[in-house]
């Protein structure tokens, strides 16, 4: 049983579950529940609804399956479905946070507690600077001919137009959904499992990063896996340093815009969505440059602007088992 929280304890982002309902098991249950909901239940329900709607419009069962299966061939409808499924992680994260921990959902966004839009938009600009730095490094790296994108621009078709609309409208929600799940709830869950300061931070960063990389597919090659794991580590560090999800969301949105944009212009979106092979270890140097430059810039701006990185004092001890922390520990939920 952990010791009661000191009245002047100011929780950092990854420690917020500690001021909710007591019981480390709640965080474990929440992680399993959210992963099952987002990657099993929601795809089944939303995919089933989309499948029925396509049948109602006159499509055959095989045609509907082809349209919705982005792993076989990417289509605008299939990409939209994938984005909606991942965006559903936002309300589901809110629901689980309230139901299991009796913490108001806004505490998943940041310790403010809200999404700090000004900082998020600044981070979008910083992510462009970091991207330019990575492109500079990429120009100096040895690459194989298969790693170079073709110089031939794809034809602009009605399908290209539909892809662009889906990407612009839904990709930000998809990226935010992944961040609310992995860097949001999972960071707070892993950070609450142990009370040792350094170990708590390490678990809060490495645990979600590993799960994030694994859930992109077990067939991905090692360079791709490492790239996604490194992205998760940098994003996790940013969440703790800045006290919220704004910086990781901005970086994730720009990365997806760039990846999908290049695929539409020069490559193939199906290959970009799968990304299971053909990567070189040399590209890691470029992506690490982007992540580390962004980490430094986003951290510097947060400190220079005095961004809040801890919640208010809890003002009391943890509530008794079965008690309502909304009444026992009011400040972080008002």
């Amino acid at each position: 049983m952990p010791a009661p929280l000191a009245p002047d304890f100011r929780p950092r982002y990854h420690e917020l579950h500690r001021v909710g309902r007591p019981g480390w098991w709640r965080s474990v249950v929440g992680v399993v529940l959210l992963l099952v909901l987002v990657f099993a239940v929601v795809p089944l329900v939303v995919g089933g609804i989309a499948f029925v709607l396509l049948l109602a419009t006159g499509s055959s069962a095989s045609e509907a399956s082809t349209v919705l299966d982005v792993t076989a061939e990417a289509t605008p409808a299939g990409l939209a479905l994938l984005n909606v499924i991942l965006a559903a992680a936002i309300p589901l994260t809110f629901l689980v946070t309230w139901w299991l921990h009796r913490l108001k959902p806004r505490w998943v966004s940041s310790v403010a507690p809200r999404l700090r839009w000004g900082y998020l938009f600044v981070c979008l600009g910083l992510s462009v600077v970091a991207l330019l730095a990575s492109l500079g490094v990429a120009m100096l790296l040895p690459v194989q001919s298969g790693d170079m994108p073709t110089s031939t621009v794809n034809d602009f078709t009605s399908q290209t137009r539909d892809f662009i609309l889906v990407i612009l409208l839904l990709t930000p929600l998809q990226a935010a959904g992944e961040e609310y799940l992995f860097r949001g709830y999972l960071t707070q869950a892993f950070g609450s499992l142990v009370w040792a300061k350094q170990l708590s931070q390490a678990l809060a960063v490495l645990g979600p990063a590993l799960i994030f990389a694994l859930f992109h597919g077990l067939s991905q090659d090692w360079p791709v896996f490492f790239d996604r794991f490194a992205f998760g580590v940098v994003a996790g560090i940013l969440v703790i340093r800045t006290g919220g999800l704004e910086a990781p969301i901005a970086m994730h949105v720009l990365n997806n815009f760039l990846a999908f944009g290049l695929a539409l212009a020069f490559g193939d979106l199906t290959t970009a969505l799968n990304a299971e092979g053909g990567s070189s270890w040399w590209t890691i140097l470029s992506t690490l440059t982007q992540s580390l430059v962004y980490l430094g810039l986003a951290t510097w701006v947060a400190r220079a602007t005095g961004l809040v990185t801890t919640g208010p004092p809890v003002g009391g001890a943890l509530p008794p088992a079965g008690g309502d922390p909304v009444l026992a520990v009011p400040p972080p939920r008002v």
Side-chain angles (χ1 to χ4, degrees):
M1 182 71 179
L5 294 175
D8 61 347
F9 173 69
R10 302 179 69 92
R12 301 184 71 183
Y13 184 87
H14 64 293
E15 299 171 324
L16 284 170
H17 280 188
R18 298 179 185 176
V19 297
R21 280 180 169 175
W24 61 268
W25 58 268
R26 295 181 184 276
S27 296
V28 176
V29 170
V31 168
V32 175
L33 179 60
L34 273 174
L35 292 177
V36 170
L37 286 173
V38 174
F39 294 103
V41 177
V42 172
L44 183 64
V45 173
V46 177
I49 294 174
F51 185 80
V52 170
L53 290 176
L54 286 174
L55 292 180
T57 60
S59 299
S60 65
S62 60
E63 290 172 340
S65 299
T66 301
V67 167
L68 299 178
D69 186 7
V70 295
T71 60
E73 181 179 357
T75 63
L79 181 60
L81 177 66
L82 176 63
N83 285 342
V84 168
I85 289 172
L86 292 174
I90 299 176
L92 289 174
T93 298
F94 289 167
L95 178 62
V96 171
T97 297
W98 175 84
W99 178 58
L100 277 176
H101 308 279
R102 284 298 188 267
L103 290 166
K104 290 188 177 180
R106 59 193 183 193
W107 289 97
V108 185
S109 297
S110 78
V111 296
R114 56 183 172 78
L115 199 62
R116 298 164 294 189
W117 288 99
Y119 181 59
L120 190 151
F121 287 126
V122 169
C123 286
L124 284 173
L126 298 179
S127 62
V128 174
V129 175
L131 173 63
L132 294 176
S134 72
L135 292 177
V137 171
M139 294 175 63
L140 304 175
L141 296 176
V143 294
Q144 300 175 0
S145 58
D147 297 328
M148 294 293 293
T150 176
S151 59
T152 303
V153 179
N154 295 332
D155 293 333
F156 187 89
T157 64
S158 60
Q159 186 181 62
T160 306
R161 176 204 61 206
D162 294 341
F163 270 128
I164 291 175
L165 290 174
V166 170
I167 292 169
L168 290 177
L169 295 176
L170 295 179
T171 291
L173 293 176
Q174 166 261 316
E178 291 191 40
E179 292 308 310
Y180 269 89
L181 172 61
F182 292 105
R183 253 65 63 184
Y185 188 89
L186 264 65
T187 293
Q188 294 179 349
F190 277 87
S192 71
L193 295 181
V194 297
W195 285 71
K197 181 179 179 180
Q198 298 299 327
L199 183 57
S200 172
Q201 292 185 17
L203 283 177
V205 171
L206 298 178
L210 179 60
I211 297 175
F212 172 76
L214 289 174
F215 267 76
H216 277 80
L218 297 178
S219 58
Q220 57 190 316
D221 60 10
W222 282 108
V224 173
F225 174 83
F226 180 83
D227 180 70
R228 287 164 173 165
F229 176 74
F231 175 93
V233 169
V234 170
I237 293 173
L238 277 171
V239 168
I240 295 176
R241 283 188 178 181
T242 65
L245 298 176
E246 298 87 0
I249 288 174
M251 181 168 64
H252 203 149
V253 169
L254 182 76
N255 280 354
N256 286 6
F257 274 164
L258 177 66
F260 290 153
L262 290 176
L264 280 178
F266 302 104
D268 176 67
L269 201 56
T270 304
T271 303
L273 286 169
N274 292 324
E276 295 177 346
S279 296
S280 167
W281 282 106
W282 285 109
T283 61
I284 298 298
L285 295 177
S286 174
T287 55
L288 279 180
T289 297
Q290 178 185 1
S291 296
L292 294 177
V293 168
Y294 183 72
L295 174 63
L297 290 174
T299 301
W300 176 77
V301 169
R303 291 174 178 171
T305 57
L307 201 69
V308 175
T309 59
T310 61
V314 299
L318 282 170
D324 188 347
V326 174
L327 299 177
V329 192
R333 290 168 292 281
V334 174

